[in-house]
Each structure stands twice: as C-alpha cells, then as structure tokens.
mmCIF file of all heavy atoms in Angstrom:
data_model
loop_
_atom_site.group_PDB
_atom_site.id
_atom_site.type_symbol
_atom_site.label_atom_id
_atom_site.label_comp_id
_atom_site.label_asym_id
_atom_site.label_seq_id
_atom_site.Cartn_x
_atom_site.Cartn_y
_atom_site.Cartn_z
ATOM 1 N N MET A 805 100.705 152.968 39.341
ATOM 2 C CA MET A 805 99.438 153.651 39.556
ATOM 3 C C MET A 805 99.335 154.845 38.612
ATOM 4 O O MET A 805 100.266 155.604 38.487
ATOM 5 C CB MET A 805 99.369 154.142 41.007
ATOM 6 C CG MET A 805 98.242 153.511 41.723
ATOM 7 S SD MET A 805 97.765 153.932 43.373
ATOM 8 C CE MET A 805 98.925 154.850 44.202
ATOM 9 N N GLY A 806 98.196 155.005 37.977
ATOM 10 C CA GLY A 806 97.999 156.107 37.056
ATOM 11 C C GLY A 806 97.629 157.380 37.793
ATOM 12 O O GLY A 806 97.314 157.375 38.974
ATOM 13 N N SER A 807 97.671 158.479 37.072
ATOM 14 C CA SER A 807 97.341 159.767 37.687
ATOM 15 C C SER A 807 95.877 159.824 38.106
ATOM 16 O O SER A 807 95.527 160.488 39.082
ATOM 17 C CB SER A 807 97.683 160.918 36.752
ATOM 18 O OG SER A 807 96.895 160.843 35.582
ATOM 19 N N SER A 808 95.003 159.106 37.391
ATOM 20 C CA SER A 808 93.589 159.110 37.776
ATOM 21 C C SER A 808 93.391 158.377 39.103
ATOM 22 O O SER A 808 92.546 158.756 39.908
ATOM 23 C CB SER A 808 92.708 158.499 36.695
ATOM 24 O OG SER A 808 92.951 157.117 36.561
ATOM 25 N N SER A 809 94.199 157.340 39.347
ATOM 26 C CA SER A 809 94.117 156.629 40.625
ATOM 27 C C SER A 809 94.554 157.529 41.766
ATOM 28 O O SER A 809 93.952 157.523 42.843
ATOM 29 C CB SER A 809 94.998 155.375 40.614
ATOM 30 O OG SER A 809 94.511 154.438 39.686
ATOM 31 N N ILE A 810 95.589 158.319 41.526
ATOM 32 C CA ILE A 810 96.077 159.248 42.546
ATOM 33 C C ILE A 810 95.019 160.311 42.820
ATOM 34 O O ILE A 810 94.745 160.654 43.969
ATOM 35 C CB ILE A 810 97.415 159.879 42.107
ATOM 36 C CG1 ILE A 810 98.511 158.809 42.080
ATOM 37 C CG2 ILE A 810 97.811 161.013 43.039
ATOM 38 C CD1 ILE A 810 99.823 159.278 41.479
ATOM 39 N N LEU A 811 94.396 160.832 41.769
ATOM 40 C CA LEU A 811 93.343 161.836 41.940
ATOM 41 C C LEU A 811 92.156 161.257 42.696
ATOM 42 O O LEU A 811 91.572 161.922 43.567
ATOM 43 C CB LEU A 811 92.901 162.391 40.585
ATOM 44 C CG LEU A 811 93.908 163.268 39.856
ATOM 45 C CD1 LEU A 811 93.372 163.659 38.474
ATOM 46 C CD2 LEU A 811 94.244 164.498 40.674
ATOM 47 N N GLN A 812 91.774 160.023 42.390
ATOM 48 C CA GLN A 812 90.667 159.385 43.100
ATOM 49 C C GLN A 812 91.022 159.201 44.574
ATOM 50 O O GLN A 812 90.188 159.438 45.447
ATOM 51 C CB GLN A 812 90.329 158.039 42.467
ATOM 52 C CG GLN A 812 89.621 158.146 41.139
ATOM 53 C CD GLN A 812 89.377 156.795 40.493
ATOM 54 O OE1 GLN A 812 89.998 155.797 40.848
ATOM 55 N NE2 GLN A 812 88.449 156.759 39.541
ATOM 56 N N LYS A 813 92.237 158.787 44.830
ATOM 57 C CA LYS A 813 92.683 158.586 46.209
ATOM 58 C C LYS A 813 92.659 159.911 46.970
ATOM 59 O O LYS A 813 92.184 159.976 48.095
ATOM 60 C CB LYS A 813 94.087 157.991 46.224
ATOM 61 C CG LYS A 813 94.593 157.655 47.585
ATOM 62 C CD LYS A 813 95.956 156.978 47.518
ATOM 63 C CE LYS A 813 96.475 156.656 48.896
ATOM 64 N NZ LYS A 813 97.796 156.012 48.836
ATOM 65 N N GLU A 814 93.148 160.968 46.344
ATOM 66 C CA GLU A 814 93.149 162.297 46.978
ATOM 67 C C GLU A 814 91.723 162.772 47.237
ATOM 68 O O GLU A 814 91.436 163.372 48.273
ATOM 69 C CB GLU A 814 93.912 163.290 46.105
ATOM 70 C CG GLU A 814 95.405 163.049 46.089
ATOM 71 C CD GLU A 814 96.138 163.949 45.102
ATOM 72 O OE1 GLU A 814 95.480 164.678 44.323
ATOM 73 O OE2 GLU A 814 97.389 163.892 45.105
ATOM 74 N N GLU A 815 90.828 162.495 46.281
ATOM 75 C CA GLU A 815 89.426 162.894 46.451
ATOM 76 C C GLU A 815 88.782 162.127 47.607
ATOM 77 O O GLU A 815 88.052 162.698 48.415
ATOM 78 C CB GLU A 815 88.646 162.652 45.162
ATOM 79 C CG GLU A 815 87.208 163.137 45.232
ATOM 80 C CD GLU A 815 86.453 162.912 43.930
ATOM 81 O OE1 GLU A 815 87.075 162.559 42.921
ATOM 82 O OE2 GLU A 815 85.226 163.100 43.945
ATOM 83 N N ILE A 816 89.072 160.841 47.688
ATOM 84 C CA ILE A 816 88.531 160.022 48.783
ATOM 85 C C ILE A 816 89.053 160.530 50.126
ATOM 86 O O ILE A 816 88.285 160.666 51.090
ATOM 87 C CB ILE A 816 88.894 158.536 48.576
ATOM 88 C CG1 ILE A 816 88.100 157.984 47.391
ATOM 89 C CG2 ILE A 816 88.619 157.722 49.833
ATOM 90 C CD1 ILE A 816 88.562 156.613 46.933
ATOM 91 N N ILE A 817 90.325 160.855 50.186
ATOM 92 C CA ILE A 817 90.912 161.374 51.425
ATOM 93 C C ILE A 817 90.268 162.707 51.803
ATOM 94 O O ILE A 817 89.924 162.942 52.962
ATOM 95 C CB ILE A 817 92.443 161.502 51.287
ATOM 96 C CG1 ILE A 817 93.070 160.104 51.212
ATOM 97 C CG2 ILE A 817 93.032 162.290 52.443
ATOM 98 C CD1 ILE A 817 94.539 160.094 50.852
ATOM 99 N N ALA A 818 90.092 163.580 50.815
ATOM 100 C CA ALA A 818 89.463 164.881 51.076
ATOM 101 C C ALA A 818 88.027 164.703 51.561
ATOM 102 O O ALA A 818 87.595 165.364 52.518
ATOM 103 C CB ALA A 818 89.502 165.739 49.810
ATOM 104 N N ASN A 819 87.284 163.810 50.912
ATOM 105 C CA ASN A 819 85.898 163.556 51.325
ATOM 106 C C ASN A 819 85.840 162.967 52.733
ATOM 107 O O ASN A 819 84.966 163.337 53.528
ATOM 108 C CB ASN A 819 85.209 162.612 50.336
ATOM 109 C CG ASN A 819 84.880 163.299 49.019
ATOM 110 O OD1 ASN A 819 84.809 164.528 48.954
ATOM 111 N ND2 ASN A 819 84.703 162.514 47.986
ATOM 112 N N ALA A 820 86.755 162.080 53.044
ATOM 113 C CA ALA A 820 86.791 161.501 54.382
ATOM 114 C C ALA A 820 87.069 162.585 55.423
ATOM 115 O O ALA A 820 86.489 162.583 56.511
ATOM 116 C CB ALA A 820 87.852 160.404 54.462
ATOM 117 N N GLY A 821 87.945 163.516 55.071
ATOM 118 C CA GLY A 821 88.225 164.630 55.980
ATOM 119 C C GLY A 821 86.991 165.481 56.225
ATOM 120 O O GLY A 821 86.725 165.892 57.358
ATOM 121 N N LEU A 822 86.222 165.749 55.185
ATOM 122 C CA LEU A 822 84.991 166.533 55.330
ATOM 123 C C LEU A 822 83.958 165.808 56.189
ATOM 124 O O LEU A 822 83.297 166.406 57.043
ATOM 125 C CB LEU A 822 84.393 166.851 53.960
ATOM 126 C CG LEU A 822 85.139 167.883 53.120
ATOM 127 C CD1 LEU A 822 84.540 167.966 51.730
ATOM 128 C CD2 LEU A 822 85.109 169.235 53.799
ATOM 129 N N VAL A 823 83.830 164.514 55.958
ATOM 130 C CA VAL A 823 82.888 163.713 56.752
ATOM 131 C C VAL A 823 83.303 163.723 58.218
ATOM 132 O O VAL A 823 82.481 163.926 59.114
ATOM 133 C CB VAL A 823 82.808 162.266 56.216
ATOM 134 C CG1 VAL A 823 82.070 161.365 57.174
ATOM 135 C CG2 VAL A 823 82.144 162.247 54.855
ATOM 136 N N ARG A 824 84.591 163.531 58.465
ATOM 137 C CA ARG A 824 85.091 163.529 59.850
ATOM 138 C C ARG A 824 84.835 164.876 60.510
ATOM 139 O O ARG A 824 84.384 164.953 61.655
ATOM 140 C CB ARG A 824 86.578 163.204 59.870
ATOM 141 C CG ARG A 824 87.155 163.133 61.278
ATOM 142 C CD ARG A 824 88.620 162.862 61.220
ATOM 143 N NE ARG A 824 89.202 163.839 60.297
ATOM 144 C CZ ARG A 824 90.381 164.404 60.462
ATOM 145 N NH1 ARG A 824 91.130 164.071 61.462
ATOM 146 N NH2 ARG A 824 90.836 165.288 59.600
ATOM 147 N N GLN A 825 85.112 165.961 59.793
ATOM 148 C CA GLN A 825 84.897 167.304 60.336
ATOM 149 C C GLN A 825 83.425 167.520 60.680
ATOM 150 O O GLN A 825 83.092 168.050 61.733
ATOM 151 C CB GLN A 825 85.367 168.356 59.332
ATOM 152 C CG GLN A 825 85.226 169.779 59.825
ATOM 153 C CD GLN A 825 85.694 170.779 58.786
ATOM 154 O OE1 GLN A 825 86.129 170.409 57.690
ATOM 155 N NE2 GLN A 825 85.609 172.043 59.104
ATOM 156 N N THR A 826 82.535 167.082 59.793
ATOM 157 C CA THR A 826 81.096 167.240 60.014
ATOM 158 C C THR A 826 80.635 166.427 61.213
ATOM 159 O O THR A 826 79.875 166.921 62.060
ATOM 160 C CB THR A 826 80.320 166.802 58.763
ATOM 161 O OG1 THR A 826 80.742 167.604 57.658
ATOM 162 C CG2 THR A 826 78.825 166.960 58.958
ATOM 163 N N LEU A 827 81.084 165.199 61.307
ATOM 164 C CA LEU A 827 80.661 164.325 62.408
ATOM 165 C C LEU A 827 81.228 164.753 63.753
ATOM 166 O O LEU A 827 80.612 164.516 64.789
ATOM 167 C CB LEU A 827 81.062 162.879 62.118
ATOM 168 C CG LEU A 827 80.333 162.208 60.962
ATOM 169 C CD1 LEU A 827 80.926 160.824 60.708
ATOM 170 C CD2 LEU A 827 78.849 162.105 61.243
ATOM 171 N N CYS A 828 82.396 165.363 63.740
ATOM 172 C CA CYS A 828 83.072 165.711 64.991
ATOM 173 C C CYS A 828 82.813 167.150 65.434
ATOM 174 O O CYS A 828 83.310 167.565 66.480
ATOM 175 C CB CYS A 828 84.573 165.473 64.857
ATOM 176 S SG CYS A 828 85.005 163.747 64.600
ATOM 177 N N ASP A 829 82.063 167.911 64.659
ATOM 178 C CA ASP A 829 81.783 169.301 65.016
ATOM 179 C C ASP A 829 80.767 169.340 66.160
ATOM 180 O O ASP A 829 79.614 168.958 65.994
ATOM 181 C CB ASP A 829 81.248 170.062 63.808
ATOM 182 C CG ASP A 829 81.014 171.533 64.104
ATOM 183 O OD1 ASP A 829 81.439 172.022 65.172
ATOM 184 O OD2 ASP A 829 80.401 172.208 63.251
ATOM 185 N N THR A 830 81.203 169.788 67.303
ATOM 186 C CA THR A 830 80.342 169.813 68.490
ATOM 187 C C THR A 830 79.916 171.241 68.863
ATOM 188 O O THR A 830 79.436 171.471 69.974
ATOM 189 C CB THR A 830 81.062 169.169 69.689
ATOM 190 O OG1 THR A 830 82.270 169.899 69.953
ATOM 191 C CG2 THR A 830 81.395 167.716 69.412
ATOM 192 N N THR A 831 80.065 172.175 67.946
ATOM 193 C CA THR A 831 79.719 173.568 68.234
ATOM 194 C C THR A 831 78.258 173.706 68.655
ATOM 195 O O THR A 831 77.954 174.343 69.671
ATOM 196 C CB THR A 831 79.996 174.455 67.002
ATOM 197 O OG1 THR A 831 81.361 174.299 66.619
ATOM 198 C CG2 THR A 831 79.720 175.910 67.290
ATOM 199 N N ALA A 832 77.352 173.107 67.901
ATOM 200 C CA ALA A 832 75.922 173.213 68.226
ATOM 201 C C ALA A 832 75.622 172.572 69.574
ATOM 202 O O ALA A 832 74.826 173.099 70.356
ATOM 203 C CB ALA A 832 75.078 172.565 67.136
ATOM 204 N N LEU A 833 76.276 171.455 69.860
ATOM 205 C CA LEU A 833 76.059 170.791 71.152
ATOM 206 C C LEU A 833 76.576 171.651 72.307
ATOM 207 O O LEU A 833 75.940 171.727 73.357
ATOM 208 C CB LEU A 833 76.748 169.426 71.163
ATOM 209 C CG LEU A 833 76.156 168.373 70.241
ATOM 210 C CD1 LEU A 833 77.033 167.126 70.235
ATOM 211 C CD2 LEU A 833 74.745 168.030 70.659
ATOM 212 N N ALA A 834 77.708 172.291 72.109
ATOM 213 C CA ALA A 834 78.267 173.154 73.162
ATOM 214 C C ALA A 834 77.343 174.340 73.423
ATOM 215 O O ALA A 834 77.117 174.723 74.580
ATOM 216 C CB ALA A 834 79.657 173.631 72.767
ATOM 217 N N GLU A 835 76.788 174.915 72.358
ATOM 218 C CA GLU A 835 75.855 176.034 72.512
ATOM 219 C C GLU A 835 74.590 175.586 73.237
ATOM 220 O O GLU A 835 74.080 176.296 74.111
ATOM 221 C CB GLU A 835 75.512 176.626 71.150
ATOM 222 C CG GLU A 835 76.679 177.331 70.497
ATOM 223 C CD GLU A 835 76.417 177.730 69.046
ATOM 224 O OE1 GLU A 835 75.347 177.388 68.499
ATOM 225 O OE2 GLU A 835 77.297 178.389 68.454
ATOM 226 N N GLU A 836 74.084 174.430 72.901
ATOM 227 C CA GLU A 836 72.887 173.898 73.558
ATOM 228 C C GLU A 836 73.175 173.620 75.034
ATOM 229 O O GLU A 836 72.334 173.866 75.896
ATOM 230 C CB GLU A 836 72.430 172.617 72.847
ATOM 231 C CG GLU A 836 71.171 172.017 73.413
ATOM 232 C CD GLU A 836 69.912 172.824 73.132
ATOM 233 O OE1 GLU A 836 69.953 173.759 72.310
ATOM 234 O OE2 GLU A 836 68.873 172.514 73.739
ATOM 235 N N LYS A 837 74.362 173.137 75.334
ATOM 236 C CA LYS A 837 74.758 172.863 76.716
ATOM 237 C C LYS A 837 74.740 174.146 77.544
ATOM 238 O O LYS A 837 74.233 174.158 78.669
ATOM 239 C CB LYS A 837 76.146 172.232 76.739
ATOM 240 C CG LYS A 837 76.652 171.903 78.113
ATOM 241 C CD LYS A 837 78.047 171.287 78.043
ATOM 242 C CE LYS A 837 78.631 171.083 79.415
ATOM 243 N NZ LYS A 837 80.005 170.559 79.340
ATOM 244 N N VAL A 838 75.271 175.231 76.988
ATOM 245 C CA VAL A 838 75.278 176.516 77.690
ATOM 246 C C VAL A 838 73.845 176.982 77.943
ATOM 247 O O VAL A 838 73.498 177.411 79.054
ATOM 248 C CB VAL A 838 76.065 177.579 76.892
ATOM 249 C CG1 VAL A 838 75.863 178.968 77.460
ATOM 250 C CG2 VAL A 838 77.541 177.225 76.864
ATOM 251 N N LYS A 839 73.008 176.872 76.932
ATOM 252 C CA LYS A 839 71.608 177.293 77.056
ATOM 253 C C LYS A 839 70.889 176.483 78.129
ATOM 254 O O LYS A 839 70.185 177.034 78.978
ATOM 255 C CB LYS A 839 70.900 177.126 75.710
ATOM 256 C CG LYS A 839 69.445 177.483 75.715
ATOM 257 C CD LYS A 839 68.824 177.187 74.357
ATOM 258 C CE LYS A 839 67.312 177.187 74.466
ATOM 259 N NZ LYS A 839 66.682 176.578 73.306
ATOM 260 N N LEU A 840 71.080 175.178 78.111
ATOM 261 C CA LEU A 840 70.410 174.321 79.095
ATOM 262 C C LEU A 840 70.936 174.578 80.506
ATOM 263 O O LEU A 840 70.175 174.534 81.470
ATOM 264 C CB LEU A 840 70.588 172.848 78.717
ATOM 265 C CG LEU A 840 69.837 172.412 77.457
ATOM 266 C CD1 LEU A 840 70.232 171.000 77.073
ATOM 267 C CD2 LEU A 840 68.342 172.528 77.649
ATOM 268 N N ARG A 841 72.235 174.845 80.622
ATOM 269 C CA ARG A 841 72.805 175.153 81.933
ATOM 270 C C ARG A 841 72.192 176.432 82.499
ATOM 271 O O ARG A 841 71.881 176.522 83.684
ATOM 272 C CB ARG A 841 74.317 175.283 81.844
ATOM 273 C CG ARG A 841 75.003 175.415 83.195
ATOM 274 C CD ARG A 841 76.502 175.435 83.042
ATOM 275 N NE ARG A 841 76.961 174.214 82.408
ATOM 276 C CZ ARG A 841 77.582 173.235 83.041
ATOM 277 N NH1 ARG A 841 77.817 173.334 84.319
ATOM 278 N NH2 ARG A 841 77.966 172.162 82.391
ATOM 279 N N GLN A 842 71.994 177.434 81.636
ATOM 280 C CA GLN A 842 71.365 178.685 82.075
ATOM 281 C C GLN A 842 69.926 178.441 82.526
ATOM 282 O O GLN A 842 69.488 178.965 83.556
ATOM 283 C CB GLN A 842 71.407 179.721 80.953
ATOM 284 C CG GLN A 842 72.798 180.226 80.649
ATOM 285 C CD GLN A 842 72.864 181.057 79.391
ATOM 286 O OE1 GLN A 842 71.974 181.026 78.544
ATOM 287 N NE2 GLN A 842 73.947 181.812 79.238
ATOM 288 N N GLU A 843 69.194 177.642 81.750
ATOM 289 C CA GLU A 843 67.819 177.328 82.118
ATOM 290 C C GLU A 843 67.773 176.563 83.434
ATOM 291 O O GLU A 843 66.907 176.818 84.275
ATOM 292 C CB GLU A 843 67.150 176.511 81.016
ATOM 293 C CG GLU A 843 66.864 177.296 79.756
ATOM 294 C CD GLU A 843 66.226 176.453 78.672
ATOM 295 O OE1 GLU A 843 65.763 175.328 78.956
ATOM 296 O OE2 GLU A 843 66.185 176.919 77.523
ATOM 297 N N LEU A 844 68.692 175.654 83.620
ATOM 298 C CA LEU A 844 68.744 174.877 84.860
ATOM 299 C C LEU A 844 69.026 175.781 86.051
ATOM 300 O O LEU A 844 68.413 175.625 87.119
ATOM 301 C CB LEU A 844 69.815 173.788 84.755
ATOM 302 C CG LEU A 844 69.967 172.874 85.964
ATOM 303 C CD1 LEU A 844 68.667 172.130 86.250
ATOM 304 C CD2 LEU A 844 71.103 171.893 85.735
ATOM 305 N N THR A 845 69.915 176.738 85.868
ATOM 306 C CA THR A 845 70.227 177.686 86.946
ATOM 307 C C THR A 845 68.978 178.466 87.350
ATOM 308 O O THR A 845 68.694 178.643 88.541
ATOM 309 C CB THR A 845 71.339 178.649 86.505
ATOM 310 O OG1 THR A 845 72.510 177.885 86.197
ATOM 311 C CG2 THR A 845 71.671 179.653 87.580
ATOM 312 N N VAL A 846 68.217 178.916 86.366
ATOM 313 C CA VAL A 846 66.977 179.656 86.648
ATOM 314 C C VAL A 846 65.990 178.763 87.396
ATOM 315 O O VAL A 846 65.377 179.180 88.391
ATOM 316 C CB VAL A 846 66.354 180.192 85.342
ATOM 317 C CG1 VAL A 846 64.957 180.737 85.588
ATOM 318 C CG2 VAL A 846 67.253 181.257 84.725
ATOM 319 N N LEU A 847 65.835 177.517 86.965
ATOM 320 C CA LEU A 847 64.907 176.599 87.624
ATOM 321 C C LEU A 847 65.327 176.293 89.061
ATOM 322 O O LEU A 847 64.485 176.215 89.965
ATOM 323 C CB LEU A 847 64.789 175.304 86.824
ATOM 324 C CG LEU A 847 64.057 175.430 85.500
ATOM 325 C CD1 LEU A 847 64.158 174.129 84.715
ATOM 326 C CD2 LEU A 847 62.603 175.809 85.712
ATOM 327 N N VAL A 848 66.630 176.153 89.286
ATOM 328 C CA VAL A 848 67.129 175.908 90.645
ATOM 329 C C VAL A 848 66.811 177.108 91.532
ATOM 330 O O VAL A 848 66.345 176.936 92.672
ATOM 331 C CB VAL A 848 68.648 175.606 90.630
ATOM 332 C CG1 VAL A 848 69.231 175.667 92.034
ATOM 333 C CG2 VAL A 848 68.910 174.252 90.006
ATOM 334 N N GLU A 849 67.040 178.309 91.030
ATOM 335 C CA GLU A 849 66.735 179.513 91.808
ATOM 336 C C GLU A 849 65.244 179.601 92.125
ATOM 337 O O GLU A 849 64.854 179.933 93.254
ATOM 338 C CB GLU A 849 67.202 180.759 91.060
ATOM 339 C CG GLU A 849 68.705 180.904 90.992
ATOM 340 C CD GLU A 849 69.149 182.053 90.092
ATOM 341 O OE1 GLU A 849 68.286 182.748 89.512
ATOM 342 O OE2 GLU A 849 70.375 182.237 89.964
ATOM 343 N N MET A 850 64.406 179.304 91.148
ATOM 344 C CA MET A 850 62.960 179.351 91.365
ATOM 345 C C MET A 850 62.535 178.305 92.404
ATOM 346 O O MET A 850 61.694 178.592 93.270
ATOM 347 C CB MET A 850 62.214 179.125 90.045
ATOM 348 C CG MET A 850 62.362 180.265 89.067
ATOM 349 S SD MET A 850 61.686 179.887 87.425
ATOM 350 C CE MET A 850 59.955 179.717 87.797
ATOM 351 N N THR A 851 63.126 177.130 92.328
ATOM 352 C CA THR A 851 62.807 176.066 93.283
ATOM 353 C C THR A 851 63.228 176.464 94.685
ATOM 354 O O THR A 851 62.473 176.267 95.648
ATOM 355 C CB THR A 851 63.495 174.752 92.866
ATOM 356 O OG1 THR A 851 63.068 174.412 91.556
ATOM 357 C CG2 THR A 851 63.155 173.625 93.820
ATOM 358 N N GLU A 852 64.428 177.021 94.817
ATOM 359 C CA GLU A 852 64.907 177.456 96.135
ATOM 360 C C GLU A 852 63.997 178.522 96.720
ATOM 361 O O GLU A 852 63.679 178.484 97.921
ATOM 362 C CB GLU A 852 66.335 177.978 96.034
ATOM 363 C CG GLU A 852 67.366 176.892 95.800
ATOM 364 C CD GLU A 852 68.768 177.431 95.551
ATOM 365 O OE1 GLU A 852 68.921 178.653 95.309
ATOM 366 O OE2 GLU A 852 69.706 176.619 95.583
ATOM 367 N N LYS A 853 63.552 179.482 95.908
ATOM 368 C CA LYS A 853 62.641 180.533 96.383
ATOM 369 C C LYS A 853 61.313 179.929 96.829
ATOM 370 O O LYS A 853 60.758 180.327 97.862
ATOM 371 C CB LYS A 853 62.411 181.577 95.293
ATOM 372 C CG LYS A 853 63.595 182.483 95.073
ATOM 373 C CD LYS A 853 63.318 183.483 93.958
ATOM 374 C CE LYS A 853 64.543 184.331 93.681
ATOM 375 N NZ LYS A 853 64.332 185.277 92.588
ATOM 376 N N ALA A 854 60.811 178.969 96.052
ATOM 377 C CA ALA A 854 59.543 178.341 96.407
ATOM 378 C C ALA A 854 59.669 177.563 97.716
ATOM 379 O O ALA A 854 58.767 177.608 98.570
ATOM 380 C CB ALA A 854 59.077 177.409 95.291
ATOM 381 N N VAL A 855 60.779 176.873 97.905
ATOM 382 C CA VAL A 855 60.998 176.112 99.139
ATOM 383 C C VAL A 855 61.103 177.062 100.334
ATOM 384 O O VAL A 855 60.499 176.821 101.389
ATOM 385 C CB VAL A 855 62.261 175.225 99.023
ATOM 386 C CG1 VAL A 855 62.667 174.668 100.368
ATOM 387 C CG2 VAL A 855 62.022 174.101 98.022
ATOM 388 N N MET A 856 61.835 178.154 100.177
ATOM 389 C CA MET A 856 61.983 179.124 101.278
ATOM 390 C C MET A 856 60.630 179.769 101.605
ATOM 391 O O MET A 856 60.286 179.941 102.769
ATOM 392 C CB MET A 856 63.012 180.186 100.927
ATOM 393 C CG MET A 856 64.434 179.676 100.976
ATOM 394 S SD MET A 856 65.707 180.948 100.861
ATOM 395 C CE MET A 856 65.566 181.441 99.150
ATOM 396 N N GLN A 857 59.857 180.093 100.593
ATOM 397 C CA GLN A 857 58.548 180.684 100.814
ATOM 398 C C GLN A 857 57.634 179.689 101.517
ATOM 399 O O GLN A 857 56.914 180.032 102.459
ATOM 400 C CB GLN A 857 57.920 181.138 99.494
ATOM 401 C CG GLN A 857 56.585 181.828 99.685
ATOM 402 C CD GLN A 857 55.998 182.288 98.361
ATOM 403 O OE1 GLN A 857 56.478 181.914 97.287
ATOM 404 N NE2 GLN A 857 54.975 183.110 98.435
ATOM 405 N N ASN A 858 57.682 178.449 101.096
ATOM 406 C CA ASN A 858 56.872 177.407 101.719
ATOM 407 C C ASN A 858 57.295 177.191 103.170
ATOM 408 O O ASN A 858 56.444 176.968 104.035
ATOM 409 C CB ASN A 858 57.003 176.096 100.922
ATOM 410 C CG ASN A 858 56.010 175.068 101.380
ATOM 411 O OD1 ASN A 858 54.882 175.405 101.726
ATOM 412 N ND2 ASN A 858 56.422 173.827 101.384
ATOM 413 N N ALA A 859 58.568 177.281 103.450
ATOM 414 C CA ALA A 859 59.063 177.084 104.820
ATOM 415 C C ALA A 859 58.585 178.224 105.719
ATOM 416 O O ALA A 859 58.279 178.000 106.905
ATOM 417 C CB ALA A 859 60.579 177.010 104.816
ATOM 418 N N ARG A 860 58.490 179.439 105.186
ATOM 419 C CA ARG A 860 58.002 180.573 105.983
ATOM 420 C C ARG A 860 56.520 180.434 106.288
ATOM 421 O O ARG A 860 56.041 180.782 107.354
ATOM 422 C CB ARG A 860 58.245 181.868 105.246
ATOM 423 C CG ARG A 860 59.663 182.367 105.293
ATOM 424 C CD ARG A 860 59.750 183.799 104.822
ATOM 425 N NE ARG A 860 59.349 183.941 103.422
ATOM 426 C CZ ARG A 860 60.172 184.074 102.407
ATOM 427 N NH1 ARG A 860 61.457 184.096 102.607
ATOM 428 N NH2 ARG A 860 59.724 184.197 101.179
ATOM 429 N N ILE A 861 55.776 179.906 105.330
ATOM 430 C CA ILE A 861 54.316 179.782 105.483
ATOM 431 C C ILE A 861 53.981 178.628 106.433
ATOM 432 O O ILE A 861 53.063 178.730 107.245
ATOM 433 C CB ILE A 861 53.642 179.568 104.112
ATOM 434 C CG1 ILE A 861 53.821 180.825 103.261
ATOM 435 C CG2 ILE A 861 52.178 179.222 104.262
ATOM 436 C CD1 ILE A 861 53.354 180.678 101.820
ATOM 437 N N ALA A 862 54.735 177.550 106.365
ATOM 438 C CA ALA A 862 54.423 176.346 107.137
ATOM 439 C C ALA A 862 54.684 176.520 108.606
ATOM 440 O O ALA A 862 55.241 177.340 109.150
ATOM 441 C CB ALA A 862 55.241 175.180 106.624
#
C-alpha cells in the first residue's frame, strides 16, 4: 500500500468520525426536552387550577 492510500484511509476514517459525531450529538434534543418539560409543568399547573376553580363553582 502506498502512502497516498494510507492518507486516503486516514481521511476516510476522520470523516466518518465527524459524521458519527454530528449524527449522534443530542445536545439540541436534550435542551428541547428540558424546555418542553417546563412548558408541560406549567400547563399541568394551569389545568389543575382550572379544575379546582370549576369544582368550587359547580
């Protein structure tokens, strides 16, 4: 194998590593999950308040 073949192989391996890192990066998904969980908590609290208020009125 020539040195150019070794360099090509190393480049392919490096590129594959970058692709894998990009595809497996879940940072944005984790941040979105936290945001949605916070929003869900607020909605649950609002729903509980509305149900309690409705129960008092009924």
Side-chain angles (χ1 to χ4, degrees):
M805 242 185 346
S807 64
S808 68
S809 294
I810 292 172
L811 290 176
Q812 287 176 342
K813 184 176 179 180
E814 289 174 353
E815 184 179 350
I816 290 169
I817 291 171
N819 287 340
L822 288 173
V823 169
R824 182 182 51 143
Q825 182 181 0
T826 301
L827 292 175
C828 296
D829 183 10
T830 60
T831 304
L833 292 174
E835 292 171 356
E836 182 70 11
K837 180 180 174 183
V838 169
K839 178 184 165 195
L840 291 172
R841 188 176 301 254
Q842 291 170 342
E843 289 179 14
L844 181 60
T845 300
V846 170
L847 290 173
V848 167
E849 290 173 0
M850 291 172 65
T851 302
E852 288 174 347
K853 286 179 184 178
V855 168
M856 286 190 289
Q857 183 179 11
N858 190 36
R860 283 193 297 258
I861 294 173

